Amino acid sequence: MPHKFNADRRDKIAKQKYQVTNWPAYNESLRQRGDLTIWVKDEALSLWTARRRTSRGGQPKYSDLAITLCLTLRVVYGLALRQTQGLMRSVAALMGFDIAVPDFSTLSRRSKGLALPSTKSEPQHQVRSIWLSTAPA
């Protein structure tokens, strides 16, 4: 068998063993992995819908801020567009907001012109909160 060919001469690296000493803190850290916290400023909520166009063309229903929030959650949690739509519906319902959520085709179409914030600087599993503000990044 090829994987056992030189087994006696291969370097043996012992597997490191970790021992948990603070079980309550460890259990709490595991619980916090599923925590989702989103803060939405009142100004951002009022800017959810887009301003009316003065030029010819179709009227956008959602602002760039709304599309950016949806697509940021999509990147952070690695979701498909339909799953992102479902997540945003449930978040809006849980927070008690009476807002329309962009559908997956709108997210796909509008994502081409937007610059999304990068999440490559920190691991995705540690991103637990997103701050939505009206200030330009």
Side-chain angles (χ1 to χ4, degrees), residues 25-60:
Y26 176 71
N27 286 335
E28 185 59 31
S29 69
L30 291 178
R31 281 187 211 105
Q32 286 179 354
R33 286 185 185 179
D35 186 29
L36 175 64
T37 305
I38 300 176
W39 290 280
V40 181
K41 287 185 175 182
D42 291 333
E43 302 115 20
L45 192 58
S46 66
L47 294 174
W48 187 262
T49 56
R51 282 188 261 138
R52 210 166 152 78
R53 268 192 191 170
T54 56
S55 62
R56 293 178 54 170
Q59 299 297 323

Side-chain angles (χ1 to χ4, degrees), residues 56-135:
R56 293 178 54 170
Q59 299 297 323
K61 187 173 182 180
Y62 307 101
S63 66
D64 288 343
L65 182 72
I67 302 296
T68 303
L69 172 65
C70 294
L71 294 175
T72 301
L73 286 174
R74 177 181 187 237
V75 169
V76 167
Y77 291 105
L79 301 173
L81 289 171
R82 286 181 176 96
Q83 293 170 343
T84 303
Q85 180 185 358
L87 174 68
M88 284 306 301
R89 281 182 182 173
S90 65
V91 167
L94 286 172
M95 296 179 82
F97 296 147
D98 187 27
I99 55 174
V101 175
D103 61 317
F104 63 93
S105 61
T106 302
L107 292 175
S108 175
R109 190 176 59 250
R110 296 274 304 273
S111 67
K112 294 178 180 138
L114 294 177
L116 296 176
S118 176
T119 60
K120 294 185 179 183
S121 61
E122 66 180 40
Q124 290 183 5
H125 67 276
Q126 290 186 2
V127 177
R128 288 191 305 262
S129 61
I130 296 173
W131 182 265
L132 176 63
S133 67
T134 57

